[in-house]
Amino acid sequence: MSAKPLTRDSLAALDAADPLARFGEMFELPEGVIYLDGNSLGALPKAAAERMQEVVNDEWGRGLIRSWNRRDWIGLPQRAGDKIARLIGAAPGEVVVADSTSVNLFKLLASALALRPGRTTILTEADNFPTDGYIIEGLLGMMGRPLDSIKYWDQGDAQDVISAIDEDTAVVALTHVNYKSGRIHDMAAITRAAHEAGALMLWDLCHSAGALPVELNECGVDFAVGCGYKYLNGGPGAPAFLYVAKRLQNDVAPPLSGWMGHAAPFAFDRDYRPAPGIARNLCGTPPVLSMACLDAALEIMLEADMSELRDKSLALSDAFLALVEQQCGGSGFKSIAPPPAQRGSHISLTHQHAYPVVQALTAAGVIGDFRTPDIMRFGFAPLYIRHVDIWDAVAILKDIMQSRAWDKPEFHQRSKVT
Ligand SMILES: *Cc1c(COP(=O)(O)O)cnc(C)c1O
């Protein structure tokens, strides 16, 4: 961070030199909106909208059921999975697109527990995205295991989570980039420690895939899951993905043994026989429309250089932090952002009036989000956010604070989705 005050011109100069600038126009963003919520729902890629038209009108409308073969709908989970594999340091055949992150967590955690029969606990973090903890709770309940077989690591640094792994730990299940603080766990070190203790390692990549480099194979990771609708821009409720390391794939016994994971789905055999490889982790018929949309969005992501994405993401979040300090110092914002090397692609600020401030920002065209109890979260999707957007967003924030526009009664009304 430079000590010199930032100006709109200095940020415009960064945009002029931005190797990713050309991606901006590939997205549909409404006039007058600065979208700092791509970490929650990615923006609409124009190519995805075009692909949807084609899939609906041509592949479905004219092709009808023939398109399962002719347009290889049946191969979509693997085809899109192989694209995601390239973004997360996995090999072809190690990733499939299926279900939601929550369901994929259930499937892989159940498989992982079965691979460690003598061990009783799943280690996760109290601060994890809630669905991850809920799924662990439900799975252990279903298996008749006592509730204290979930071990919650609570705060501290990565070293602490490592010291909580012991000979009872069957699986360590962590989210790589924390959804609130944006802190990155040390994937290599924690995975190594889990393995040294004889446990399996599962990473949730919801806030990592498409936002920063991930090296699953290099880190020796066993299992991973992640989301299609955040940085991957697959659309609202887009299907999620799952990864199983090649070396484990044929030892995994899928708990949701649906026909799409059968070795020969169209043999209509009476008995279940899991498909070899990653395909056994599929369950039912793929949602072709939403999967095609995600697949088209992935094409764009694959054109971008991951290290350029990472550099730009940090430049954007650095500029944001510096500008909040420079323009809104004294307004009561506190950053809970980790230092750059441990920072994902979003920044969280705390503020006493976080909820109405986020509402007032949204009304003024700056879309971030609120996370209970007092967090304002701003995501910096490097494919379509410009450096000057950061300037303009903070200028609007400054105005809202100075005018107290956030204190209007309508901004205090809570909606169902926050
Ligand atoms: C977004 C997110 C999820 C979402 O799960 P869904 O099943 O898609 O609703 C799960 N875990 C983490 C860490 C997330 O950030």
Side-chain angles (χ1 to χ4, degrees), residues 100-103 105 128-129 131-132 175 177 179 204 206-207 227 229-230 238 240:
S100 63
T101 302
S102 303
V103 172
L105 271 165
N128 206 339
F129 189 87
T131 205
D132 298 51
T175 297
V177 176
Y179 78 109
D204 183 329
C206 279
H207 287 279
C227 187
Y229 52 79
K230 291 172 179 159

Side-chain angles (χ1 to χ4, degrees), residues 268-309:
F268 294 101
D269 287 344
R270 191 199 63 180
D271 298 326
Y272 178 71
R273 209 161 24 95
I278 194 73
R280 66 178 57 186
N281 299 287
L282 300 174
C283 181
T285 306
V288 172
L289 302 183
S290 45
M291 220 176 265
C293 190
L294 171 62
D295 187 64
L298 289 168
E299 290 286 333
I300 298 175
M301 183 59 82
L302 283 172
E303 279 180 41
D305 180 278
M306 192 51 80
S307 64
E308 287 175 0
L309 278 173

Side-chain angles (χ1 to χ4, degrees), residues 328-352:
C328 306
S331 291
F333 296 111
K334 277 202 203 70
S335 162
I336 57 168
Q342 285 136 41
R343 187 192 302 158
S345 204
H346 68 268
I347 292 281
S348 289
L349 305 176
T350 61
H351 193 271
Q352 188 189 356

Side-chain angles (χ1 to χ4, degrees), residues 44-265:
L44 168 63
K46 290 175 182 166
E50 284 160 18
R51 179 79 176 276
M52 286 297 273
Q53 290 285 338
E54 185 194 324
V55 174
V56 169
N57 294 329
D58 188 35
E59 297 186 14
W60 178 18
R62 279 179 282 279
L64 293 164
I65 202 166
R66 296 169 290 189
S67 292
W68 281 105
N69 288 314
R70 286 189 187 166
R71 308 306 285 264
D72 195 28
W73 285 350
I74 197 70
L76 250 180
Q78 280 91 343
R79 212 159 59 240
D82 283 348
K83 288 177 186 164
I84 294 174
R86 291 162 59 189
L87 299 170
I88 57 177
E94 286 189 312
V95 178
V96 277
V97 173
D99 305 312
S100 63
T101 302
S102 303
V103 172
N104 288 335
L105 271 165
F106 179 89
K107 295 190 294 190
L108 295 190
L109 284 169
S111 296
L113 283 178
L115 292 174
R116 288 292 179 275
R119 293 175 173 239
T120 54
T121 60
I122 296 180
L123 174 64
T124 188
E125 53 191 320
D127 204 20
N128 206 339
F129 189 87
T131 205
D132 298 51
Y134 301 159
I135 290 288
I136 296 174
E137 220 180 289
L139 172 65
L140 292 171
M142 199 188 81
M143 297 173 75
R145 300 218 181 164
L147 260 188
D148 64 4
S149 46
I150 313 181
K151 207 161 138 188
Y152 286 109
W153 166 69
D154 212 348
Q155 308 297 317
D157 61 22
Q159 213 45 49
D160 295 337
V161 73
I162 285 175
S163 62
I165 306 171
D166 61 26
E167 68 279 4
D168 285 333
T169 313
V171 192
V172 180
L174 296 173
T175 297
H176 185 220
V177 176
N178 184 277
Y179 78 109
K180 277 188 183 169
S181 66
R183 185 208 57 228
I184 305 177
H185 271 305
D186 185 338
M187 182 178 281
I190 297 173
T191 303
R192 199 179 318 116
H195 288 166
E196 278 166 8
L200 290 162
M201 185 74 225
L202 182 148
W203 287 104
D204 183 329
L205 304 178
C206 279
H207 287 279
S208 314
L212 61 153
V214 175
E215 294 295 345
L216 291 181
N217 281 346
E218 218 175 280
C219 296
V221 172
D222 303 300
F223 300 99
V225 296
C227 187
Y229 52 79
K230 291 172 179 159
Y231 294 100
L232 298 182
N233 309 309
F241 64 88
L242 64 85
Y243 156 94
V244 179
K246 202 137 236 165
R247 64 182 180 281
L248 296 172
Q249 286 179 357
N250 292 334
D251 296 331
V252 158
L256 299 181
S257 42
W259 73 309
M260 281 293 149
H262 193 277

